[in-house]
Amino acid sequence: MSDAPSAAEEIMDGVYSALRAHGYADLTMQDIADECSKSKSLLHYHYDTKEDLLVAFLEYIVSDSEERIAARADDPPVERLVQFIGWFVFAPDETDREAFHIALLELRTQGPFNERIREQLARSDRLLRGTVADILADGIETGVFRDVDVEETAAMIVATLDGARTRQITLADSVRGDEADGYTRTVAEATLRRIVEPLLADGAELPPLDAAIEALRRDPDSPEPDDPEPDDPETDAAADGSE
Amino acid sequence: MSDAPSAAEEIMDGVYSALRAHGYADLTMQDIADECSKSKSLLHYHYDTKEDLLVAFLEYIVSDSEERIAARADDPPVERLVQFIGWFVFAPDETDREAFHIALLELRTQGPFNERIREQLARSDRLLRGTVADILADGIETGVFRDVDVEETAAMIVATLDGARTRQITLADSVRGDEADGYTRTVAEATLRRIVEPLLADGAELPPLDAAIEALRRDPDSPEPDDPEPDDPETDAAADGSE
């Protein structure tokens, strides 16, 4: 298999870089062309409008998430749940990730006004809640989780992690003083202790969050749900090369 | 006391209406002037730039929240907590509220780029988390709550409700089919049962969420934290007139 990215992948990487650098509202096709070293006319050959390209980007990152989540479907349920929660955790100094999520949040505010964007957001929502619900159902079946309303629990966990991320990125360094670890870290730990731990059957144990986060960072296949970053050359260079 | 609103209040109502009607990104001073029946030059007399006016609006709604929360500081802790959670609940057909929160979410995405906006967001965050932490501390002191890490619990509850609201407004009617009550309702009930109920001391009971929401709708003084709506003439007309 060739390691060379396809043109489509290069363009998607360009959208990712351009969103981090320019945000969503002011983004132009030229910005994206500059980031992926393609001509603006080539971009327009593939995508009629900026909206077409951004919808394709959303499709791409949700599909990428689907694949990455599917690749882990056979891991033990408790580990999968801790990994899912760990995916949302990022440190306040991960500025690239913060910039990307700010742009993505801007894009999400277009949901009510743009049906194609909303469709992708709804698809992502079904994926996230469905993943947590599946993990819980698997764990109930295998006896590691107590019986619980899986849909409600999934909705709550996804809302909690999403809210923590939104607060961390929008408040930026204004809360760093008293929360050096960041909102996502605080809330992920609370979620494990307050929501997940009470669901564990006798004898089942939570693996530590830190180990899950470390493993996710080492693994280039690790997704961040909702909005997995397309493979980042810098990150991949630092990864263990198992791909 | 006079019931006539001040010019400043009329302008703030205008910003509120204009945000609902136009969103944040495309908002103009003329839009705001039209909504409050003032001239654009009068607005510019009070506020040099659109940014100045929007920062003043954020200051206004956070201050309004502070006052309304302070007015309830003597209510019993468990009731206050259920009310706080109830404030975030809205039905998918409350389109005015949805439109306002979408505009506010757009504004929040400016946090990382605009220090004055970020200051107000941080002030709102301190208010929200501080309110929940105070309620919990009061309840621990009076014996209705068990001893618990109040800061962590507050961060988690605020993140959960904020995340549920963001998901409800951005996904709009794409999830209405299977979630007729809306994300905020589902998650508020789960928060009460999963996070708050385990904190109750023996003998303490949660008042029903519905009654709290009903009371909030009847009471024109009721805030919605983070972003309390300025008094809305339509809502006030339907209120019990106790003001």
Side-chain angles (χ1 to χ4, degrees):
Chain A
M1 259 171 68
S2 162
D3 278 348
S6 69
E9 281 169 350
E10 284 179 357
I11 293 171
M12 292 302 135
D13 275 353
V15 177
Y16 174 55
S17 303
L19 280 170
R20 286 187 303 182
H22 304 280
Y24 164 76
D26 300 324
L27 193 67
T28 66
M29 287 292 256
Q30 188 61 57
D31 294 330
I32 298 168
D34 291 345
E35 292 289 341
C36 60
S37 307
K38 306 278 180 203
S39 69
K40 200 172 133 189
S41 58
L42 180 85
L43 290 190
H44 277 296
Y45 174 80
H46 290 290
Y47 306 96
D48 273 349
T49 64
K50 188 181 89 170
E51 187 198 310
D52 287 341
L53 177 48
L54 286 166
V55 170
F57 178 72
L58 279 179
E59 278 176 11
Y60 172 78
I61 60 175
V62 180
S63 297
D64 195 55
S65 252
E66 279 173 354
E67 286 169 25
R68 291 168 185 232
I69 287 173
R72 290 168 179 273
D74 293 332
D75 285 358
V78 178
E79 278 176 36
R80 288 181 72 202
L81 191 51
V82 176
Q83 275 178 353
F84 184 92
I85 291 168
W87 284 329
F88 284 85
V89 175
F90 65 103
D93 62 0
E94 292 183 57
T95 48
D96 268 2
R97 213 165 148 184
E98 184 177 297
F100 176 63
H101 282 296
I102 279 288
L104 206 65
L105 190 58
E106 286 183 81
L107 233 170
R108 290 171 69 190
T109 65
Q110 300 310 301
F113 315 111
N114 186 313
E115 197 186 334
R116 294 160 71 207
I117 290 177
R118 191 162 69 245
E119 271 170 18
Q120 295 306 316
L121 298 179
R123 198 181 137 215
S124 169
D125 183 58
R126 284 192 298 273
L127 174 65
L128 295 184
R129 287 197 286 158
T131 299
V132 177
D134 285 350
I135 292 171
L136 291 169
D138 285 354
I140 292 168
E141 206 181 302
T142 58
V144 292
F145 289 127
R146 299 176 198 280
D147 202 13
V148 66
D149 181 336
V150 298
E151 298 295 341
E152 181 192 81
T153 310
M156 186 185 190
I157 288 176
V158 170
T160 303
L161 298 169
D162 186 23
R165 183 169 58 193
T166 295
R167 299 190 80 77
Q168 181 165 324
I169 60 179
T170 56
L171 294 162
D173 60 359
S174 58
V175 291
R176 277 183 205 169
D178 53 327
E179 297 223 325
D181 288 341
Y183 224 119
T184 50
R185 176 78 200 209
T186 302
V187 169
E189 282 172 359
T191 301
L192 287 171
R193 207 162 42 246
R194 307 292 189 85
I195 304 181
V196 178
E197 228 171 58
L199 304 180
L200 291 179
D202 291 337
E205 270 187 31
L206 283 185
L209 180 61
D210 270 328
I213 293 172
E214 265 310 301
L216 289 165
R217 287 201 180 137
R218 277 197 311 273
D219 178 0
D221 268 339
S222 72
E224 178 181 11
D226 218 0
D227 33 47
E229 281 92 23
D231 295 329
D232 184 325
E234 287 174 48
T235 311
D236 284 355
D240 64 5
S242 64
E243 201 171 26
Chain B
M1 261 172 62
S2 163
D3 277 348
S6 69
E9 281 169 349
E10 284 178 357
I11 293 172
M12 293 301 136
D13 275 353
V15 178
Y16 175 55
S17 303
L19 280 171
R20 286 185 304 182
H22 303 279
Y24 163 75
D26 301 325
L27 194 67
T28 66
M29 287 293 255
Q30 188 60 57
D31 293 330
I32 299 168
D34 291 345
E35 290 290 340
C36 61
S37 308
K38 306 280 181 203
S39 69
K40 200 172 133 189
S41 59
L42 180 85
L43 290 191
H44 276 295
Y45 174 81
H46 290 290
Y47 307 96
D48 273 348
T49 64
K50 189 181 89 171
E51 187 198 310
D52 288 341
L53 178 47
L54 285 167
V55 169
F57 178 72
L58 278 179
E59 279 177 11
Y60 172 78
I61 60 175
V62 181
S63 296
D64 194 55
S65 252
E66 278 173 355
E67 286 169 25
R68 290 168 186 232
I69 287 172
R72 289 165 180 274
D74 293 331
D75 284 359
V78 178
E79 278 176 36
R80 287 181 73 203
L81 191 51
V82 175
Q83 275 178 354
F84 183 92
I85 291 168
W87 283 330
F88 283 85
V89 174
F90 66 102
D93 63 0
E94 292 183 58
T95 49
D96 268 2
R97 211 164 149 185
E98 184 176 298
F100 175 64
H101 282 295
I102 278 288
L104 205 65
L105 190 58
E106 287 184 81
L107 233 171
R108 290 171 69 190
T109 65
Q110 300 310 300
F113 314 111
N114 186 313
E115 197 184 336
R116 294 159 71 207
I117 289 177
R118 191 162 67 247
E119 272 170 17
Q120 294 307 315
L121 298 180
R123 198 180 138 217
S124 168
D125 184 58
R126 285 192 298 273
L127 174 65
L128 294 185
R129 287 197 285 159
T131 298
V132 176
D134 285 350
I135 293 171
L136 291 169
D138 285 354
I140 292 168
E141 205 183 302
T142 57
V144 291
F145 289 126
R146 300 176 197 281
D147 201 13
V148 66
D149 180 337
V150 298
E151 299 295 340
E152 181 191 82
T153 311
M156 187 184 189
I157 288 176
V158 170
T160 303
L161 298 169
D162 186 21
R165 183 170 58 193
T166 295
R167 299 190 79 77
Q168 181 165 324
I169 60 179
T170 56
L171 293 162
D173 59 359
S174 58
V175 291
R176 277 183 204 169
D178 51 328
E179 297 224 328
D181 288 340
Y183 223 120
T184 52
R185 176 78 200 208
T186 301
V187 169
E189 282 172 357
T191 301
L192 287 171
R193 206 162 45 244
R194 308 292 190 86
I195 305 180
V196 178
E197 227 171 58
L199 303 180
L200 291 179
D202 290 337
E205 270 188 28
L206 283 183
L209 180 62
D210 270 328
I213 293 172
E214 265 310 301
L216 288 165
R217 287 204 178 135
R218 278 197 310 273
D219 179 0
D221 268 338
S222 71
E224 177 181 11
D226 218 0
D227 31 49
E229 279 93 26
D231 295 330
D232 183 325
E234 287 175 47
T235 311
D236 283 356
D240 65 6
S242 62
E243 199 170 27

